[in-house]
Amino acid sequence: LDFRPGQLVLDWGSGCGHKLSWAKALFDVDGIGLDVEGGAVAWARQHSAGLFCHADGRHLDWLPDDTFDHVISYAAIYHLAQSDQCHTGIRLLKKLRVRGKAWFGWNQGYAMTAWDWHRCFKNASSFPGLPPADVEVMSQMKVDFQGTEDGFLFAPNADVAGTHFLYQYPAYSIFLTRLA
């Protein structure tokens, strides 16, 4: 993702805040975490680096558009219904600055395939149940889309990929760059 010191990161589904704490420690970025679980947010506020908000992440109008350098979400967004995943993904893209990058990791193919995500961002008008406003947003936004299996990202070596639930197919990540 190419984090740089002083950049602003939004962590959707931040839980206890460990991803933002690591990002702060390793890259000196500033972070805002959102999570629907009040207990996790309370813990993060006391023990983790960043600002943490208790909120339903499907409703993001209170966050300003074109603000964040990065958006991350790991093992969280797949809990939503498909139409909510696409809608939320589009809303998160709006929060990115142009040239900002997003990573949605540990997605599950049974909840939404990488091809479904591709259709959401590249051909939104064909995505079932998507509100017309989201289709309009995507008609004006240009996005680079890449996807890969998580086993190729995090496994310590090729022998481990596919043997642990964190690395097994169908776990995959998508990487987005907002181009316009």
mmCIF file of all heavy atoms in Angstrom, residues 21-43:
data_model
loop_
_atom_site.group_PDB
_atom_site.id
_atom_site.type_symbol
_atom_site.label_atom_id
_atom_site.label_comp_id
_atom_site.label_asym_id
_atom_site.label_seq_id
_atom_site.Cartn_x
_atom_site.Cartn_y
_atom_site.Cartn_z
ATOM 1 N N SER A 21 -2.430 0.274 15.000
ATOM 2 C CA SER A 21 -1.274 0.383 15.899
ATOM 3 C C SER A 21 0.004 -0.037 15.183
ATOM 4 O O SER A 21 1.041 0.634 15.299
ATOM 5 C CB SER A 21 -1.482 -0.478 17.146
ATOM 6 O OG SER A 21 -2.503 0.068 17.950
ATOM 7 N N TRP A 22 -0.054 -1.133 14.436
ATOM 8 C CA TRP A 22 1.113 -1.569 13.668
ATOM 9 C C TRP A 22 1.457 -0.555 12.586
ATOM 10 O O TRP A 22 2.633 -0.254 12.356
ATOM 11 C CB TRP A 22 0.881 -2.952 13.060
ATOM 12 C CG TRP A 22 1.138 -4.058 14.020
ATOM 13 C CD1 TRP A 22 0.212 -4.880 14.603
ATOM 14 C CD2 TRP A 22 2.398 -4.468 14.540
ATOM 15 N NE1 TRP A 22 0.817 -5.762 15.449
ATOM 16 C CE2 TRP A 22 2.174 -5.535 15.423
ATOM 17 C CE3 TRP A 22 3.707 -4.031 14.349
ATOM 18 C CZ2 TRP A 22 3.198 -6.177 16.109
ATOM 19 C CZ3 TRP A 22 4.738 -4.672 15.023
ATOM 20 C CH2 TRP A 22 4.475 -5.730 15.896
ATOM 21 N N ALA A 23 0.452 -0.037 11.904
ATOM 22 C CA ALA A 23 0.713 0.949 10.846
ATOM 23 C C ALA A 23 1.373 2.205 11.417
ATOM 24 O O ALA A 23 2.285 2.767 10.811
ATOM 25 C CB ALA A 23 -0.575 1.293 10.109
ATOM 26 N N LYS A 24 0.938 2.628 12.591
ATOM 27 C CA LYS A 24 1.545 3.789 13.240
ATOM 28 C C LYS A 24 2.989 3.491 13.640
ATOM 29 O O LYS A 24 3.904 4.289 13.389
ATOM 30 C CB LYS A 24 0.725 4.204 14.474
ATOM 31 C CG LYS A 24 1.270 5.397 15.222
ATOM 32 C CD LYS A 24 1.197 6.660 14.392
ATOM 33 C CE LYS A 24 1.560 7.887 15.203
ATOM 34 N NZ LYS A 24 1.566 9.102 14.372
ATOM 35 N N ALA A 25 3.204 2.329 14.252
ATOM 36 C CA ALA A 25 4.540 1.968 14.719
ATOM 37 C C ALA A 25 5.519 1.777 13.559
ATOM 38 O O ALA A 25 6.677 2.192 13.651
ATOM 39 C CB ALA A 25 4.469 0.701 15.562
ATOM 40 N N LEU A 26 5.079 1.169 12.484
ATOM 41 C CA LEU A 26 5.984 0.840 11.379
ATOM 42 C C LEU A 26 6.132 1.948 10.344
ATOM 43 O O LEU A 26 7.192 2.079 9.728
ATOM 44 C CB LEU A 26 5.508 -0.442 10.688
ATOM 45 C CG LEU A 26 5.562 -1.708 11.536
ATOM 46 C CD1 LEU A 26 4.883 -2.861 10.812
ATOM 47 C CD2 LEU A 26 6.992 -2.048 11.914
ATOM 48 N N PHE A 27 5.052 2.737 10.138
ATOM 49 C CA PHE A 27 5.061 3.704 9.037
ATOM 50 C C PHE A 27 4.742 5.130 9.465
ATOM 51 O O PHE A 27 4.721 6.028 8.632
ATOM 52 C CB PHE A 27 4.072 3.274 7.946
ATOM 53 C CG PHE A 27 4.330 1.887 7.434
ATOM 54 C CD1 PHE A 27 3.520 0.837 7.816
ATOM 55 C CD2 PHE A 27 5.388 1.634 6.570
ATOM 56 C CE1 PHE A 27 3.752 -0.446 7.349
ATOM 57 C CE2 PHE A 27 5.630 0.361 6.100
ATOM 58 C CZ PHE A 27 4.812 -0.692 6.482
ATOM 59 N N ASP A 28 4.446 5.347 10.744
ATOM 60 C CA ASP A 28 4.121 6.662 11.285
ATOM 61 C C ASP A 28 2.947 7.322 10.567
ATOM 62 O O ASP A 28 2.954 8.520 10.289
ATOM 63 C CB ASP A 28 5.347 7.583 11.268
ATOM 64 C CG ASP A 28 5.145 8.802 12.153
ATOM 65 O OD1 ASP A 28 4.364 8.725 13.120
ATOM 66 O OD2 ASP A 28 5.754 9.853 11.855
ATOM 67 N N VAL A 29 1.914 6.518 10.258
ATOM 68 C CA VAL A 29 0.683 7.067 9.681
ATOM 69 C C VAL A 29 -0.287 7.385 10.808
ATOM 70 O O VAL A 29 -0.128 6.914 11.938
ATOM 71 C CB VAL A 29 0.036 6.080 8.674
ATOM 72 C CG1 VAL A 29 0.960 5.826 7.495
ATOM 73 C CG2 VAL A 29 -0.365 4.784 9.343
ATOM 74 N N ASP A 30 -1.277 8.186 10.509
ATOM 75 C CA ASP A 30 -2.343 8.490 11.455
ATOM 76 C C ASP A 30 -3.580 7.725 11.020
ATOM 77 O O ASP A 30 -3.817 7.541 9.823
ATOM 78 C CB ASP A 30 -2.619 9.994 11.473
ATOM 79 C CG ASP A 30 -1.397 10.770 11.937
ATOM 80 O OD1 ASP A 30 -0.796 10.373 12.960
ATOM 81 O OD2 ASP A 30 -1.026 11.754 11.270
ATOM 82 N N GLY A 31 -4.368 7.258 11.981
ATOM 83 C CA GLY A 31 -5.480 6.407 11.609
ATOM 84 C C GLY A 31 -6.769 6.693 12.335
ATOM 85 O O GLY A 31 -6.785 7.169 13.469
ATOM 86 N N ILE A 32 -7.840 6.365 11.629
ATOM 87 C CA ILE A 32 -9.192 6.383 12.180
ATOM 88 C C ILE A 32 -9.776 5.004 11.945
ATOM 89 O O ILE A 32 -9.752 4.490 10.819
ATOM 90 C CB ILE A 32 -10.070 7.456 11.509
ATOM 91 C CG1 ILE A 32 -9.498 8.848 11.785
ATOM 92 C CG2 ILE A 32 -11.519 7.345 11.989
ATOM 93 C CD1 ILE A 32 -10.235 9.977 11.081
ATOM 94 N N GLY A 33 -10.267 4.402 13.012
ATOM 95 C CA GLY A 33 -10.884 3.087 12.914
ATOM 96 C C GLY A 33 -12.372 3.164 13.156
ATOM 97 O O GLY A 33 -12.831 3.919 14.016
ATOM 98 N N LEU A 34 -13.115 2.374 12.387
ATOM 99 C CA LEU A 34 -14.572 2.272 12.553
ATOM 100 C C LEU A 34 -14.919 0.827 12.856
ATOM 101 O O LEU A 34 -14.422 -0.082 12.189
ATOM 102 C CB LEU A 34 -15.310 2.632 11.264
ATOM 103 C CG LEU A 34 -15.075 3.966 10.608
ATOM 104 C CD1 LEU A 34 -15.912 4.072 9.342
ATOM 105 C CD2 LEU A 34 -15.441 5.081 11.560
ATOM 106 N N ASP A 35 -15.774 0.616 13.837
ATOM 107 C CA ASP A 35 -16.242 -0.734 14.105
ATOM 108 C C ASP A 35 -17.633 -0.673 14.710
ATOM 109 O O ASP A 35 -17.969 0.268 15.436
ATOM 110 C CB ASP A 35 -15.294 -1.484 15.043
ATOM 111 C CG ASP A 35 -15.417 -2.985 14.859
ATOM 112 O OD1 ASP A 35 -16.376 -3.572 15.393
ATOM 113 O OD2 ASP A 35 -14.564 -3.565 14.162
ATOM 114 N N VAL A 36 -18.418 -1.699 14.411
ATOM 115 C CA VAL A 36 -19.788 -1.780 14.900
ATOM 116 C C VAL A 36 -19.846 -2.349 16.328
ATOM 117 O O VAL A 36 -20.845 -2.186 17.014
ATOM 118 C CB VAL A 36 -20.656 -2.608 13.915
ATOM 119 C CG1 VAL A 36 -20.303 -4.079 13.963
ATOM 120 C CG2 VAL A 36 -22.136 -2.359 14.136
ATOM 121 N N GLU A 37 -18.767 -2.998 16.766
ATOM 122 C CA GLU A 37 -18.715 -3.603 18.095
ATOM 123 C C GLU A 37 -18.221 -2.588 19.123
ATOM 124 O O GLU A 37 -17.037 -2.245 19.144
ATOM 125 C CB GLU A 37 -17.784 -4.825 18.088
ATOM 126 C CG GLU A 37 -18.406 -6.067 17.521
ATOM 127 C CD GLU A 37 -19.569 -6.564 18.376
ATOM 128 O OE1 GLU A 37 -19.487 -6.514 19.626
ATOM 129 O OE2 GLU A 37 -20.561 -6.998 17.778
ATOM 130 N N GLY A 38 -19.119 -2.140 19.977
ATOM 131 C CA GLY A 38 -18.773 -1.127 20.965
ATOM 132 C C GLY A 38 -17.661 -1.544 21.904
ATOM 133 O O GLY A 38 -16.802 -0.737 22.262
ATOM 134 N N GLY A 39 -17.647 -2.806 22.329
ATOM 135 C CA GLY A 39 -16.610 -3.282 23.231
ATOM 136 C C GLY A 39 -15.226 -3.231 22.600
ATOM 137 O O GLY A 39 -14.247 -2.860 23.255
ATOM 138 N N ALA A 40 -15.133 -3.586 21.331
ATOM 139 C CA ALA A 40 -13.847 -3.531 20.622
ATOM 140 C C ALA A 40 -13.372 -2.091 20.492
ATOM 141 O O ALA A 40 -12.182 -1.803 20.667
ATOM 142 C CB ALA A 40 -13.975 -4.184 19.249
ATOM 143 N N VAL A 41 -14.294 -1.190 20.205
ATOM 144 C CA VAL A 41 -13.939 0.225 20.072
ATOM 145 C C VAL A 41 -13.460 0.773 21.418
ATOM 146 O O VAL A 41 -12.452 1.487 21.482
ATOM 147 C CB VAL A 41 -15.127 1.047 19.529
ATOM 148 C CG1 VAL A 41 -14.853 2.538 19.606
ATOM 149 C CG2 VAL A 41 -15.449 0.624 18.102
ATOM 150 N N ALA A 42 -14.145 0.423 22.504
ATOM 151 C CA ALA A 42 -13.733 0.888 23.833
ATOM 152 C C ALA A 42 -12.325 0.392 24.159
ATOM 153 O O ALA A 42 -11.495 1.155 24.674
ATOM 154 C CB ALA A 42 -14.729 0.414 24.889
ATOM 155 N N TRP A 43 -12.037 -0.865 23.842
ATOM 156 C CA TRP A 43 -10.700 -1.418 24.091
ATOM 157 C C TRP A 43 -9.664 -0.687 23.246
ATOM 158 O O TRP A 43 -8.603 -0.318 23.735
ATOM 159 C CB TRP A 43 -10.691 -2.921 23.800
ATOM 160 C CG TRP A 43 -9.491 -3.607 24.373
ATOM 161 C CD1 TRP A 43 -9.422 -4.240 25.576
ATOM 162 C CD2 TRP A 43 -8.196 -3.727 23.776
ATOM 163 N NE1 TRP A 43 -8.150 -4.745 25.766
ATOM 164 C CE2 TRP A 43 -7.377 -4.440 24.667
ATOM 165 C CE3 TRP A 43 -7.641 -3.288 22.581
ATOM 166 C CZ2 TRP A 43 -6.055 -4.735 24.408
ATOM 167 C CZ3 TRP A 43 -6.307 -3.578 22.308
ATOM 168 C CH2 TRP A 43 -5.535 -4.298 23.216
#
